[in-house]
Amino acid sequence: MVEEMKVEIVSREIIRPSSPTPPNLKTYNLSFFDQIEPNLYVSIILFYPFNKNNDLYHEEINKKSKLLKLSLSKTLTRFYPFAGRLNENVSIECYDEGAIFIEARVHGFMTLVLEEPDYSIRKKFRLSGNDPGDMETKNHLLQVQANFFECGGLAISVSMSHKLADASTMSTFIKAWSAIMLNPNNVDPMCFADFSLSSNLPMVTPSSLPTLEISIEIEPNIVLKRYVFDKSKINQLMKNAISEGVKKPTRVECVSALLWKCLMATSRSRFGVERPSTFVQAVNLRSRTIPPLPLNSIGNMVMTFSETTKETSNLNNLITNLRRGLRETSKRAENGFKEEEFVSYYLNQAKEVGYQLISRGDETYFCSSWCRFPFYEVDFGWGKPTWVCPFVQPLKNFFVFMDTRDGHGIETWCPLSEEKIALLEQDKEFLTFARS
C-alpha cells in the first residue's frame, strides 16, 4: 500500500554558494509584493523514472546526489538570496549560510505513487519548514530533498520561502539549476536570475501591512483531491464557453468557472438556498506591465482579484466575470507600481481577501494557476520528468492548477470538505469533464 511506503532520511547537508556573495549584495530588500506574502513555502516535486540497468542503482545514487549538490552550489551563486536569511519582514541578509539538501531512500516503487497520488505519501518527499516547531528548517529559504526509490527512480522536491518566491521564481530557479548541471559552461543567460524587481518596486514599513495570519493546520474533514481535465474535455469545455463577452476563453478560465459553478451547486444542495460565493484568482503580472518585466524576474510578482456572485450562474457569465477581474488587474499593472495610490489599493485588496476568507471562508475559493510554467521541460541529465506535482497543503478551498504532461490538460488540486466532495462527485456536469 502506498500510504505504508517508508521514506528514510540518510543525510542532511547545508549547501552554500560556490563563490562568496560580494559585499555590495549582502542585503537584498524585499518589495511590498514579497512583504505581503505569508511566511510559508511553495513546493513542487518532479518525478524521474529510472531507465537503466538496476545493477547500477547504488552507483547512480552516489553519482546523481553528488552532481545535484555541486550544481546546486553553483546555482546558489547566481541566486544568492536563497542562501541567505530573512531579516524581519524587510530584507534578506545574504551571508551565504546556505540551503538544506536532504538525501532520502524510498522503500517502494515509483509506479505506486504515480498510480495513487496520495497526499500522505507525497508529504514525505519534502522537508517541511511549515511544520510547527521546526525552527532550524524555517530559517532556510530553500530546501531540496532528493528521494531515491528502490526501482531507481528519483523524485526531487524543491521548497522555497514564499517571502522570496512565487511559482514563476521557482520555475526560473529549477530551470537554471538543471541547465548548470547539464552544461555549466554554456548556460543561456535567460536562465539566470533578474533581481530588478527588488529595486524597482516600493517597500512598505511592516507596521503598515495588514495582519493576515494563515494557519497551516489542517482542518478536520478536509480532503485534498486531484481532478484531471484532459485535453479533449477542455477543448469541449472551451467550445461550450464561447460567448459574446469572451470569444476565446482560456483553459484556466473554463476550469475555474466550472469548478466555481459546481461548488455553488453543492452549497445550494446542502443549505437549500443560494449563498454568496467568491472566487479569488492569482495573476502573474510579469507579462502584463508596460513594458513587460523579464520572465526570469525573481521575487513575488502576483496580484489577486476577486469576483462575487450571489446566485448560481451559467458558465458563460462566470467566465465573463473572471475575465473582467483579469482585465482590471492587468490595467492596474500597466499603470505601474511606484505610485502611492497603487500600494494603497493593493494593501486594501489584501485586507478584503483576508476578510472574505475569514467571514465567508466556506464559500470563498482561492485559485493559483501554475500552468504554462515549463516544469515538464526540466532535464537534469536523465530525461524529462514523467510527472510534476505541486505540493499543496490541504488548506480549505485553496486550489492549485498544474499542466498535465502533454501541456494541454489541467490537474486541479482541491482541498475540500468531505461533504462538498461527496456532492461534487455526484454532479453530472462536473463528471462530464473531470476525472479523479
Side-chain angles (χ1 to χ4, degrees), residues 305 307-308 319-329:
F305 68 85
E307 291 293 328
T308 299
I319 289 176
T320 299
N321 291 348
L322 293 173
R323 179 63 66 88
R324 179 182 61 216
L326 178 62
R327 284 173 176 160
E328 291 175 356
T329 302

Side-chain angles (χ1 to χ4, degrees), residues 256-271 273-281 305-313 317-318 321-322 324 352-353 355-357 359-367 397 399 416 420 424:
S256 297
L258 180 67
L259 265 173
W260 191 13
K261 178 177 185 289
C262 294
L263 286 167
M264 281 190 283
T266 68
S267 180
R268 188 174 64 249
S269 297
R270 291 169 65 198
F271 300 104
V273 294
E274 301 279 4
R275 304 181 77 191
S277 180
T278 299
F279 200 92
V280 183
Q281 181 76 56
F305 68 85
S306 63
E307 291 293 328
T308 299
T309 182
K310 295 183 179 180
E311 59 183 7
T312 304
S313 184
N317 288 342
L318 294 177
N321 291 348
L322 293 173
R324 179 182 61 216
E352 175 61 23
V353 170
Y355 170 78
Q356 290 168 352
L357 289 171
S359 63
R360 289 205 308 267
D362 197 48
E363 304 300 335
T364 298
Y365 305 97
F366 189 103
C367 177
N397 298 350
F399 307 153
L416 296 164
K420 280 190 178 182
L424 185 63

Side-chain angles (χ1 to χ4, degrees), residues 354-397:
Y355 170 78
Q356 290 168 352
L357 289 171
I358 293 170
S359 63
R360 289 205 308 267
D362 197 48
E363 304 300 335
T364 298
Y365 305 97
F366 189 103
C367 177
S368 177
S369 172
W370 295 13
C371 294
R372 300 184 69 181
F373 293 122
F375 291 112
Y376 274 100
E377 299 300 312
V378 176
D379 183 356
F380 286 94
W382 46 81
K384 296 177 182 179
T386 190
W387 186 43
V388 179
C389 70
F391 181 83
V392 181
Q393 291 279 0
L395 302 176
K396 184 177 70 175
N397 298 350

